[in-house]
Amino acid sequence: MTDPATLDVTLVDGYVDEPAHFGVPPYVSTYPRYTAGALVDAGVPEERITYHTIDALRETPGKWQDVEEADLLVYIGGMTVPGKYVGGTPAEPDEVRRMAWTADGTTLMGGPVRFGVGDQNEGGSDMERKDLDYDFVAKGDVEAAAFDLVESGLEGFNNRMRDVEEVTRWAKQGAFVVESHPNHPDYLIAELETSRGCPYRCSFCTEPLYGNPTFRPPETVVSEVEALYERGVRHFRLGRQADILAYGGDGEAPNPDALRELYGGIRAVAPDLGTLHLDNMNPITVVEYPERSREGIEVIAEHNTPGDTAAFGLESADPVVQEENNLNVTADECFEAVRIVNEAAGWRPGEDPSKAPTHGEDAATRLPKLLPGINLLHGLKGETRETYELNEQFLHRVYDAGLMLRRVNIRQVMAFDGTEMSETGSQIAKDHKKLFKQYKTRVREEIDRPMLRRVAPAGTRLPDVHLEYHQDGKTFGRQLGTYPLLVAIPGEHELGQTLDLAVTDHGYRSVSGVPYPLDVNAASMDELTAIPGLGKQRAGNLVVDRPFDALSDAEERVETSLVDFAEVRSPEGAD
């Protein structure tokens, strides 16, 4: 019998992306944390557990030795929705298989990878269940499998789901693993689970494979936040649930009191948190329970941090597609849900919440507290050319009504075994590839850019933007949070630092900005040129005539307001 106290275990995080769970950096998912906690609970000492991300293995080949020499290798990964990622690159099947070949010890694979693997992690593809040459594949919860496997002396386990008591222990016991994440502590956001499962059965979605909703009591989530906070985490996202409004209820009806206990408890144990965001909110809940939903949304907006997004799974505005794929919300219902969220949470810090939604010249210079985001999925059963037209009509309706969307997420389906879409596969998505591409371009031009100007007009302040990479003489960064804006700033600034920025211009899904506040007496020519209303000639006039003693002097020189972007500091800063 193998003594757990003598085991060396290596956890490799290949990243996950599910309909209700995200774990690509800067996010860290629940899986490696809970698995580490399960291992500790089974008797493996913390110091004998090594955690690596797939990117860390790529960047430091010497870390593969930990894969090779471990008594137990646990690989965690799997993408069940398609996406494009900036902070990390999910593991490809060949890399996952290489780990199994490299490891001398016992190998266990788990996470959403159990639902299926494709040739690539992308939309419009068919996914098959494969063991990728691992000794064991967890068909249930990987954390439960790891616990049982260690208890059995690495002989085996029965596939099962963990219970609330276990996850309560494991979430706290496994918090230590975040300290080994390459992004820890400053650029790491911890995904938090409030529930799993869904009462609805959309044809494409893997979330119903977890069963009907089961909820973690507020105090268990709060204790997890406290443990992570003590380990240096300051950014959190309640992303692991199909519908945040249903939390603490019967799976469908909202429970505002449970949300109040959850959010209030998190704020109490993490008083200096930097981010508190969420992800999924079901629009059908909002329209079927409008008053209780409005109260719950107001609770969220009271406690969260600005720029939060509630992802709405409309998926399609086409009634035919809705019926053939068991989608639970119509376009009219989703429009009403968008309106309610705008009214309940579309205000900006420093404003009267009763005035929401706010945009235009009189709006405060911060992002709104909480806005809906629309998910549209293509390649579903029943899709025709008219589907694309109906989706565009819905988006134009929202915009023309003066409402706000934080983002529109357009994807093509991934067909997994166990879902109804497995019968149809990805053929419709492949047949409509050209149509999809043209439609996506129209949405970006006609909806995304004007909507972004409404949500984040020029002068909007974006605190704590993390600078990630250089490209074409610019530096790109993002805030931590749900669907954060990608911001491009002039010049090549030092990567890894954080800057406060002011928005200056808009792309389709990103913005341009300058450090806020710019010192007119020291700013570069490119930075000054980026300020709306200046251009090269006026920016050149500022450079020639500086130093200025007051901002008003600079504004008089160029006949343009600079107050939303700049200030005048010591004349000694001038060139």
Side-chain angles (χ1 to χ4, degrees):
M1 186 72 174
T2 304
D3 182 359
T6 66
L7 285 177
D8 288 316
V9 183
T10 296
L11 294 176
V12 176
D13 187 350
Y15 311 143
V16 304
D17 191 357
E18 301 181 85
H21 199 173
F22 197 42
V24 181
Y27 294 85
V28 58
S29 75
T30 66
Y31 291 113
R33 292 155 27 210
Y34 295 178
T35 302
L39 292 166
V40 170
D41 201 32
V44 181
E46 282 186 20
E47 61 271 15
R48 300 186 78 95
I49 299 173
T50 300
Y51 168 78
H52 292 312
T53 65
I54 183 63
D55 282 317
L57 291 181
R58 293 170 179 143
E59 294 166 8
T60 310
K63 291 183 177 179
W64 280 88
Q65 185 173 352
D66 294 326
V67 173
E68 179 181 358
E69 297 178 353
D71 299 309
L72 172 62
L73 167 71
V74 183
Y75 170 75
I76 296 167
M79 322 302 285
T80 63
V81 293
K84 294 182 179 180
Y85 312 102
V86 176
T89 303
E92 294 289 349
D94 287 347
E95 293 177 304
V96 181
R97 186 178 280 110
R98 179 190 168 192
M99 290 180 220
W101 293 346
T102 300
D104 291 335
T106 302
T107 56
L108 167 66
M109 179 173 68
V113 68
R114 69 187 175 93
F115 294 127
V117 178
D119 294 330
Q120 290 182 306
N121 297 316
E122 62 180 19
S125 55
D126 298 308
M127 316 301 279
E128 299 179 23
R129 290 191 170 102
K130 300 176 182 178
D131 65 13
L132 298 177
D133 298 328
Y134 280 69
D135 297 324
F136 298 101
V137 178
K139 300 298 197 305
D141 284 322
V142 63
E143 53 267 42
F147 179 87
D148 294 346
L149 184 60
V150 169
E151 282 220 319
S152 76
L154 304 184
E155 294 297 321
F157 56 87
N158 293 318
N159 287 303
R160 68 179 180 90
M161 309 300 279
R162 39 81 171 166
D163 58 35
V164 172
E165 289 185 1
E166 286 177 318
V167 75
T168 299
R169 295 196 308 271
W170 298 346
K172 293 177 64 176
Q173 290 172 304
F176 74 93
V177 82
V178 298
E179 295 183 344
S180 297
H181 195 287
N183 289 44
H184 182 272
D186 296 326
Y187 195 36
L188 187 67
I189 182 166
E191 189 85 331
L192 300 173
E193 175 186 314
T194 66
S195 69
R196 293 195 304 180
C198 184
Y200 304 104
R201 297 294 182 266
C202 301
S203 67
F204 61 90
C205 188
T206 56
E207 190 62 22
L209 301 180
Y210 289 101
N212 289 323
T214 56
F215 299 97
R216 295 176 62 194
E219 63 272 14
T220 69
V221 181
V222 171
S223 69
E224 179 180 1
V225 171
E226 185 174 24
L228 290 165
Y229 190 81
E230 290 173 351
R231 295 283 183 168
V233 177
R234 293 294 180 268
H235 306 277
F236 303 93
R237 189 179 87 141
L238 297 160
R240 184 68 183 96
Q241 70 273 316
D243 181 9
I244 188 65
L245 286 181
Y247 175 71
D250 60 4
E252 297 183 33
N255 184 344
D257 288 337
L259 287 171
R260 193 171 285 110
E261 186 176 352
L262 174 66
Y263 273 84
I266 290 173
R267 281 291 193 171
V269 299
D272 294 321
L273 61 78
T275 306
L276 181 55
H277 280 186
L278 61 88
D279 192 0
N280 296 296
M281 183 182 291
N282 199 328
I284 197 63
T285 305
V286 181
V287 293
E288 290 190 350
Y289 306 93
E291 295 309 315
R292 289 162 71 178
S293 293
R294 187 182 293 268
E295 182 181 352
I297 294 165
E298 289 173 350
V299 168
I300 293 169
E302 177 187 353
H303 292 89
N304 72 351
T305 53
D308 202 356
T309 306
F312 276 3
L314 171 61
E315 315 305 353
S316 179
D318 185 341
V320 174
V321 176
Q322 291 166 5
E323 182 175 356
E324 292 199 25
N325 294 274
N326 301 319
L327 306 184
N328 61 55
V329 64
T330 68
D332 286 343
E333 290 170 332
C334 191
F335 177 84
E336 178 64 9
V338 168
R339 184 186 65 81
I340 290 174
V341 174
N342 268 257
E343 291 178 353
W347 52 277
R348 303 165 192 262
E351 295 179 337
D352 181 351
S354 67
K355 304 296 184 183
T358 58
H359 51 80
E361 292 183 0
D362 296 331
T365 56
R366 292 292 301 279
L367 291 174
K369 290 302 291 294
L370 175 68
L371 293 177
I374 297 296
N375 293 342
L376 295 172
L377 188 61
H378 289 273
L380 296 173
K381 291 182 290 185
E383 179 180 287
T384 63
R385 181 175 294 271
E386 185 181 9
T387 304
Y388 294 84
E389 296 171 357
L390 291 170
N391 285 352
E392 290 182 65
Q393 289 173 17
F394 170 81
L395 295 173
H396 280 285
R397 181 185 176 191
V398 171
Y399 184 81
D400 293 344
L403 301 173
M404 292 185 287
L405 298 174
R406 171 54 196 86
R407 61 103 180 100
V408 180
N409 198 357
I410 302 173
R411 301 168 295 173
Q412 288 187 301
V413 71
M414 299 171 80
F416 284 88
D417 289 343
T419 69
E420 290 183 22
M421 274 304 297
S422 64
E423 301 173 7
T424 304
S426 61
Q427 192 57 48
I428 295 174
K430 292 173 181 175
D431 291 344
H432 291 173
K433 206 80 173 181
K434 183 176 179 181
L435 182 63
F436 175 80
K437 190 173 183 180
Q438 295 170 339
Y439 147 87
K440 195 171 182 179
T441 298
R442 287 195 303 273
V443 171
R444 297 296 179 237
E445 293 174 348
E446 299 174 14
I447 298 297
D448 281 341
R449 178 174 281 170
M451 186 65 78
L452 198 49
R453 291 190 180 114
R454 179 177 290 175
V455 172
T460 298
R461 314 274 168 77
L462 302 175
D464 299 322
V465 175
H466 294 254
L467 305 187
E468 296 181 301
Y469 64 94
H470 297 138
Q471 183 177 310
D472 300 328
K474 298 179 180 179
T475 305
F476 290 80
R478 297 177 296 171
Q479 295 175 299
L480 283 171
T482 298
Y483 309 107
L485 284 171
L486 182 65
V487 191
I489 58 176
E492 294 195 351
H493 294 258
E494 180 185 349
L495 300 183
Q497 65 173 318
T498 61
L499 293 178
D500 295 345
L501 303 180
V503 174
T504 58
D505 201 1
H506 305 80
Y508 296 145
R509 307 194 75 190
S510 61
V511 297
S512 299
V514 293
Y516 177 84
L518 278 179
D519 181 3
V520 173
N521 285 333
S524 71
M525 181 69 177
D526 286 341
E527 289 171 335
L528 292 171
T529 302
I531 295 176
L534 283 190
K536 287 188 176 180
Q537 182 172 340
R538 289 179 174 177
N541 291 340
L542 287 177
V543 172
V544 169
D545 292 348
R546 63 190 185 188
F548 296 95
D549 293 324
L551 186 63
S552 58
D553 296 335
E555 291 177 324
E556 183 177 349
R557 178 67 181 87
V558 295
E559 299 180 336
T560 300
S561 175
L562 304 175
V563 68
D564 287 336
F565 307 94
E567 66 180 12
V568 166
R569 295 199 282 273
S570 171
E572 285 78 12
D575 46 8

